[in-house]
C-alpha cells in the first residue's frame, strides 16, 4: 500500500516562510510525477506546483516566484518551499504522486492526508 506522509505545515505571519515535505512509500512501488495541491476555505482544490523525476517544475501563476518545488528521488520525497506568504495562501496543502507497483501496467494517483497552512495578516 502507498503512503504519502506530509509535514511542515503551520501558522505564519504574512511575508513569512514555510517548507512542506511529503515522503512517499510503498513496497514494490516507484513514483513518477509529484505535485502539491491546495484547498482554501470554501474553494475547490487547485494545483500549486508539479515536478517530474527529472526535476522539471511548473507552477500556478499565483505562486510563481514565491514557491519552489523540489524532490529527492532517492528518498521519494517532494518539498515545497514557500516564501513571501500571503493570507490568500491559507489552505490545506495536499501532496500527490503518481505511483506504480512493479507488477502493474499503469501509474495511479495517490494523495497525502493534507497539512494546514495558515497565513495571518
Amino acid at each position: 500500500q502507498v503512503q504519502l506522509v506530509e509535514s511542515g505545515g503551520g501558522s505564519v505571519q504574512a511575508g513569512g516562510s514555510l517548507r512542506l515535505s511529503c515522503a512517499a512509500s510503498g513496497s514494490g512501488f516507484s513514483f513518477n510525477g509529484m505535485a502539491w495541491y491546495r484547498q482554501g476555505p470554501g474553494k475547490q482544490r487547485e494545483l500549486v506546483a508539479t515536478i517530474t523525476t527529472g526535476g522539471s517544475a511548473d507552477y500556478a501563476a499565483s505562486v510563481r516566484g514565491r514557491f519552489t518545488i523540489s524532490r529527492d528521488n532517492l528518498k521519494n520525497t517532494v518539498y515545497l518551499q514557500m516564501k513571501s506568504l500571503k493570507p490568500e495562501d491559507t489552505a490545506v496543502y495536499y501532496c500527490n504522486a503518481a505511483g506504480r507497483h512493479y507488477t502493474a501496467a499503469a501509474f495511479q494517483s495517490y494523495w497525502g492526508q493534507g497539512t494546514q497552512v495558515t497565513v495571518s495578516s
Side-chain angles (χ1 to χ4, degrees), residues 91-114:
V92 178
Y93 284 70
Y94 296 92
C95 173
N96 175 268
R100 184 181 71 87
H101 192 265
Y102 74 93
T103 61
F107 284 86
Q108 290 187 320
S109 181
Y110 296 92
W111 293 90
Q113 79 285 359

Side-chain angles (χ1 to χ4, degrees), residues 36-77:
W36 287 97
Y37 287 74
R38 68 185 181 186
Q39 187 166 14
K43 298 181 180 179
Q44 291 188 331
R45 190 174 297 189
E46 64 175 355
L47 178 64
V48 175
T50 63
I51 188 166
T52 66
T53 52
S56 294
D58 199 10
Y59 300 91
S62 59
V63 306
R64 192 172 293 124
R66 299 188 298 121
F67 291 10
T68 302
I69 189 171
S70 61
R71 65 187 289 169
D72 183 332
N73 290 331
L74 292 179
K75 296 180 180 179
N76 289 324
T77 299

